[in-house]
Amino acid sequence: MPNPTAAMLVIGDEILSGRTRDANMHYLAQEFTKHGVDLKEVRVVSDDRAAIVSALNALRTGFDVVVTSGGIGPTHDDITADCIAEAFGVHIGVRDDARALLQAHYDRQGVEFNASRQRMARIPDGATLIDNPVSIAPGFSMENVHVMAGVPSVFQAMVASVLPKITGGAPLLSQSLRIMRGEGEIAAPLGELAARYPDLSMGSYPFQRDGVFGANVVIRGSDGAQIDHAMAELAALFPQQ
Amino acid sequence: MPNPTAAMLVIGDEILSGRTRDANMHYLAQEFTKHGVDLKEVRVVSDDRAAIVSALNALRTGFDVVVTSGGIGPTHDDITADCIAEAFGVHIGVRDDARALLQAHYDRQGVEFNASRQRMARIPDGATLIDNPVSIAPGFSMENVHVMAGVPSVFQAMVASVLPKITGGAPLLSQSLRIMRGEGEIAAPLGELAARYPDLSMGSYPFQRDGVFGANVVIRGSDGAQIDHAMAELAALFPQQ
């Protein structure tokens, strides 16, 4: 069977103005090459509805798989989900499962789940959610188009979630733990744990909140029971205050 | 007058396979923003004739200015110039002025100007050459399309050559000197020279040949007489063996 062909659509004025240097194209190119998917074209367009919809339609009809990055955050210029709905001619609205994920996330953090943040639960009809173990707000897949965040750590986590679907490999499961310590304290015990579970991948995504350092540690693999074991060990290493 | 709109076409399998991380898009985005040109779209395509010609035609009719990078070297997969000729429906062949530039360059280096290297003198009819003070092999402009090399230092030098044409600024002149010393020896005297000519820009592009270090030093500005003066001083600082 020939390799599937793929295209990428990068959405964002910040790339085209030079304010941000895109990192996701190079990451996706490497991951696709590693997994036997042929990336044939990349387009970068601005936060402009007509430009996004036209590029989407050209790419989704021209290639087996399309990955988009950017434009799914809470601000007014995050219009990717609406453009996907328009390109596919389907309705878009706040979806209960996506809203529940985000509501629980913001409740845990004691942050208001306001109208802006609820925008991130708007999902086109017929899409399936893409897991975001790093910052919760989900991506989604609509037929052959996979819609992901622009923030590199989140983009990378979403690529890991979707790759098995694209390549026909075993689906990847993930669990995450929020640890309120600096990465310097987490690194050594996490490294030892990872060495004892060679079939799992463990990633640490640091953050800072109100001057306190923490990290989301994500454990991924295809064996759910093994992930449960590793997660229990991780939780025992870093008891929550 | 509104800003001119621009698009970029990056050509090369090495970007799409993830072997090389593109640096030119970010550079061009920053330069265009600085000079009031609106970069609206970037496409990355592989070394495939149909893909290049189709992207070229879409971009050159959709935007005021198009910059391409990559695919103008000496190897069989460097097909950008042929694709430009095809897109514009013009003949392409080795051009005398381009061949003379390259012949002199390789003679100076004592390197054979073989058939592969002569490919770099193939220019579509009606194009004007873009100066390459770094490694001589020219780019070219065809109507609103500016064809540049993919190697970042050469790409950047060609952007500097073409920007005044795009923005209507004073044309930039350049001269270069090949200095057979390491950059560590060149840096301090060049820095002092640059400080005394604030209207000129001076760049150093290092290379290594048969274990010997050298650099092409390029002086750019809009005042030819001033460049002549600075170049004479530079040559006196670093007498040729």
Side-chain angles (χ1 to χ4, degrees), chain B residues 45 91-92 109-110 123 136 138 151 160 178 203 209 227:
Chain B
V45 297
H91 171 262
I92 180 169
Q109 292 191 32
I123 306 287
I136 307 307
V151 175
R178 187 179 170 85
R209 236 182 92 70
I227 297 176

Side-chain angles (χ1 to χ4, degrees), chain A residues 17-18 21-22 26 33 42 44, chain B residues 17-18 21-22 26 33 42 44:
Chain A
S17 71
R21 183 178 176 190
D22 171 69
H26 185 55
T33 295
V42 178
V44 187
Chain B
S17 72
R21 184 178 177 190
D22 170 70
H26 185 55
T33 295
V42 178
V44 186

